[in-house]
Amino acid sequence: MKSAIVYYTFGGSTKKEAERLSEELGAPVFRVMERHKRGLLGAFIPGCILAMRRRSVPIQPLEADLNEYDRIIIGCPVWAGYPAPAFNAVAELLPPEKQVEIFLCSGSGNSSKSEQGTRELIERKGCVLSSYRDVITAASAGKMKGGS
Ligand SMILES: Cc1cc2nc3c(=O)[nH]c(=O)nc-3n(C[C@H](O)[C@H](O)[C@H](O)COP(=O)(O)O)c2cc1C
């Protein structure tokens, strides 16, 4: 099965987990960059609001053609209990009938309030969600400088 890991990171912890997985699975890893650089304030406002509304954001063209893969592993931080908006941008790009796995990085390791909706989002794309897991990370939001 051909797998790809696609992740968004703001502070770097999702990148770490994506790269760990990449080594474990021998799968290529692709970083998602928002088109407009986001600072810490922009992560909270409007980032969290967009996340809670499951709104997408413009992203730079993905280096991967997702059609080429059977399994697409998406990694993303949790913002305000929801996947950060870049997750929704990746979900929009999913070709149907793919096997999808999700890992969500957060300080609490708890994305339960949005889990059901996230599962439905993937299923609405005609994909099969075969794994959903939370990853507890050490970095707290207050220590982040921001990324993309
Ligand atoms: C804007 C913002 C909102 C966050 N909201 C939550 C949250 O609701 N629950 C939580 O457990 N952690 C929250 N965090 C912490 C991050 O989810 C956590 O540090 C994650 O590992 C960051 O991943 P990254 O380093 O790849 O960006 C938030 C961080 C930021 C910047």
Side-chain angles (χ1 to χ4, degrees), residues 62-130:
L62 207 58
E63 281 175 29
D65 177 359
L66 298 182
N67 287 294
E68 290 178 10
Y69 298 92
D70 311 300
R71 174 171 64 168
I72 298 158
I73 302 169
I74 309 173
C76 191
V78 171
W79 288 359
Y82 287 74
F87 175 89
N88 302 315
V90 175
E92 282 173 3
L93 298 176
L94 284 174
E97 294 174 24
K98 298 295 178 187
Q99 184 178 317
V100 174
E101 296 186 10
I102 295 173
F103 69 90
L104 295 176
C105 295
S106 64
S108 63
N110 183 355
S111 62
S112 58
K113 81 171 170 189
S114 59
E115 178 176 346
Q116 187 56 32
T118 302
R119 288 179 174 277
E120 287 167 9
L121 182 72
I122 299 303
E123 282 157 14
R124 274 202 304 276
K125 295 298 296 181
C127 293
V128 176
L129 184 64
S130 55

Side-chain angles (χ1 to χ4, degrees), residues 14-34:
T14 310
K15 177 176 195 271
K16 261 193 210 160
E17 175 64 8
E19 288 174 348
R20 189 195 66 73
L21 263 183
S22 170
E23 276 202 14
E24 186 183 305
L25 303 173
V29 65
F30 301 98
R31 182 172 180 174
V32 174
M33 303 285 287
E34 287 191 330

